[in-house]
Amino acid sequence: MGFVTASAPGKCILFGEHAVVYGHPAVAVAIDQRISVKIQPSPNHLWLLDGSSLNMNRNPHIKGLIQKLWPKQHGAPELSIHIEGNIPRASGLGSSAALSVATAAALRMARGRWVSKTDGTQQQYWLEGFGSTIANSEPYDNSSGFFAAESQDERYHITGKNSVDSDECAILAHGVEAAVQQGRASPMDSSTCSHGGIIIISDVIEQGIDYLYQRTLAMKDATRIWHIHEMSPPSDSDDVYLVIGNTGVHAPTGKQVAKVAEMLQQDPSRMKEIDTIGQIARRGIKALKEGDFAAVGRTMTENQLMLSSIGVSSPELDNLIKAASPSSLGAKLTGAGGGGCMVALTRNPKETSDAIELAGGRTLISRLGSSGLSVDGSQNTTIWTKT
Ligand code: MEV
């Protein structure tokens, strides 16, 4: 029986969460912790998740990806899905984005891709799929990403890792995150979990770092545009670590994002605080580009003050941040807040980790900018394809 296994890293936001939803800059890094997804044909023609019946409504990210990449109406068979990993759920570390990216990669790999040329590595030759350079693939609605394939005289089916594309996995993961977060989601988590490394989102095209693509999403109040870049870890980052402290309090992102939206609706003048987070993130990007980790840490601490001010910190987060501060360059909550995790940038990972644990947090230690999605195993790769 065929199978495909793919994995993606979690993420940690250094600057700009919440403000990035409103189009401001932000920085996130891929962490060492990952989620791995294995898919294989279902033995009993029912959708299975870890051996039990898959409840689509309780797994909206998986449901959304199946609609896009594995559509029943085109004859795609039921699958058995297994998920493993060490990214804690609903804790601000991108577990749902990593799950979405890894699932998208596994489904694409299990399906292959129709292209118009045998060197179909370039997106302009794709006859099916989603990507930022494909105008009509509508990744944010319910379409299933087929176009032109049926009418094409000459077409080729590519299989294996060549059929998997990081931009496609990121845009699909963003689409399902936006749906789950009531239409409000930045591409921060999805791009970081797909591409890995350090991802910089900006309202302008940044000089001196590699440009990936632009994302546009129509939200209720306005259409947002983000420019997404990737950056290698600065050369002297070898002795700098992230120590992540988990409060153990689950805090779904959608709820926190909705809370900020409500605050702004009730008092539009508070957009000033969101704008300030954007300015802080811009200073953080400059410090990171210069490899000035002392300034990166100070800017993270400053960012935390504004996150507290908009009401997304919590007593549990404040407690772990206070414990980490004496031994670190800077510390703040990471992700949506309200619980979940904090992160400290430190040259003394053991000391910082011990301090956080003593204050009641569970810690993870990571380097800055782990690798992005990967296809880790496969056998009889093509489980289904649209012919
Ligand atoms: C969640 O990891 C980050 C938020 O900014 C939401 C988003 O960017 O979609 C809170």
Side-chain angles (χ1 to χ4, degrees):
M1 186 170 2
F3 73 86
V4 176
T5 310
S7 68
K11 68 88 194 36
C12 180
I13 300 182
L14 299 186
F15 310 106
E17 48 271 271
H18 287 291
V20 68
V21 175
Y22 297 89
H24 285 296
V27 179
V29 302
I31 57 174
D32 295 342
Q33 289 68 30
R34 301 180 76 84
I35 279 183
S36 173
V37 173
K38 180 177 185 182
I39 58 170
Q40 52 199 136
S42 169
N44 57 6
H45 303 289
L46 293 174
W47 279 96
L48 299 176
L49 179 61
D50 294 328
S52 304
S53 168
L54 166 62
N55 182 329
M56 294 285 182
N57 293 332
R58 280 211 211 124
N59 293 279
H61 296 86
I62 294 179
K63 180 183 175 188
L65 290 163
I66 289 170
Q67 275 169 358
K68 299 268 190 286
L69 285 177
W70 209 255
K72 192 180 159 72
Q73 68 271 30
H74 291 284
E78 292 80 7
L79 295 173
S80 170
I81 304 174
H82 286 276
I83 302 171
E84 277 176 21
N86 54 358
I87 309 174
R89 273 188 54 247
S91 301
L93 298 181
S95 60
S96 42
L99 169 69
S100 304
V101 165
T103 305
L107 291 174
R108 173 56 74 196
M109 174 88 174
R111 169 177 161 173
R113 190 190 305 279
W114 289 103
V115 296
S116 62
K117 297 252 170 78
T118 35
D119 70 346
T121 48
Q122 291 179 42
Q123 288 197 358
Q124 60 265 38
Y125 298 134
W126 289 3
L127 296 175
E128 54 171 318
F130 302 89
S132 46
T133 57
I134 300 171
N136 64 348
S137 62
E138 296 173 0
Y140 302 112
D141 71 8
N142 283 331
S143 68
S144 56
F146 290 103
F147 51 100
E150 283 93 340
S151 61
Q152 200 72 17
D153 294 337
E154 239 194 316
R155 59 187 183 129
Y156 302 88
H157 190 240
I158 55 168
T159 57
K161 292 184 185 180
N162 264 350
S163 61
V164 178
D165 178 83
S166 303
D167 178 15
E168 179 177 63
C169 294
I171 203 167
L172 286 170
H174 184 211
V176 293
E177 292 233 296
V180 173
Q181 290 174 211
Q182 289 88 44
R184 276 195 199 88
S186 81
M188 185 86 261
D189 294 17
S190 47
S191 291
T192 310
C193 297
S194 189
H195 296 278
I198 301 178
I199 293 292
I200 295 182
I201 293 205
S202 183
D203 46 348
V204 295
I205 296 177
E206 298 284 334
Q207 300 306 311
I209 45 174
D210 292 340
Y211 188 69
L212 283 175
Y213 42 71
Q214 176 189 306
R215 285 278 194 269
T216 306
L217 180 64
M219 295 190 192
K220 271 186 206 137
D221 52 339
T223 293
R224 309 269 179 241
I225 297 175
W226 298 272
H227 296 286
I228 294 137
H229 312 71
E230 67 183 340
M231 189 183 143
S232 319
S235 51
D236 58 348
S237 63
D238 283 357
D239 67 337
V240 182
Y241 294 82
L242 298 173
V243 179
I244 294 160
N246 192 346
T247 61
V249 178
H250 280 196
T253 302
K255 213 167 133 195
Q256 292 296 108
V257 170
K259 182 175 160 184
V260 173
E262 205 176 298
M263 170 196 91
L264 293 171
Q265 202 182 5
Q266 274 170 16
D267 184 357
S269 76
R270 298 199 67 182
M271 191 51 104
K272 277 200 268 337
E273 289 157 82
I274 299 289
D275 296 345
T276 305
I277 294 178
Q279 284 153 18
I280 292 170
R282 180 144 300 292
R283 280 208 297 284
I285 292 172
K286 183 169 175 285
L288 205 56
K289 276 186 183 169
E290 290 167 355
D292 181 349
F293 285 108
V296 171
R298 276 197 308 276
T299 315
M300 285 168 66
T301 301
E302 220 183 308
N303 194 158
Q304 171 62 18
L305 295 176
M306 292 313 300
L307 289 164
S308 273
S309 144
I310 62 168
V312 295
S313 199
S314 73
E316 293 87 352
L317 283 165
D318 294 345
N319 176 39
L320 300 188
I321 291 166
K322 192 169 154 212
S325 294
S327 62
S328 60
L329 300 167
K332 61 183 273 295
L333 70 83
T334 186
C341 291
M342 51 70 66
V343 60
L345 186 77
T346 180
R347 295 190 199 275
N348 312 298
K350 171 136 185 18
E351 201 183 333
T352 306
S353 168
D354 287 351
I356 295 171
E357 297 238 339
L358 206 63
R362 275 170 288 137
T363 56
L364 298 169
I365 299 180
S366 174
R367 311 303 299 255
L368 267 81
S370 286
S371 53
L373 84 83
S374 67
V375 175
D376 304 317
S378 65
Q379 192 181 299
N380 303 335
T381 313
T382 309
I383 296 173
W384 169 76
T385 190
K386 167 86 166 58
T387 49

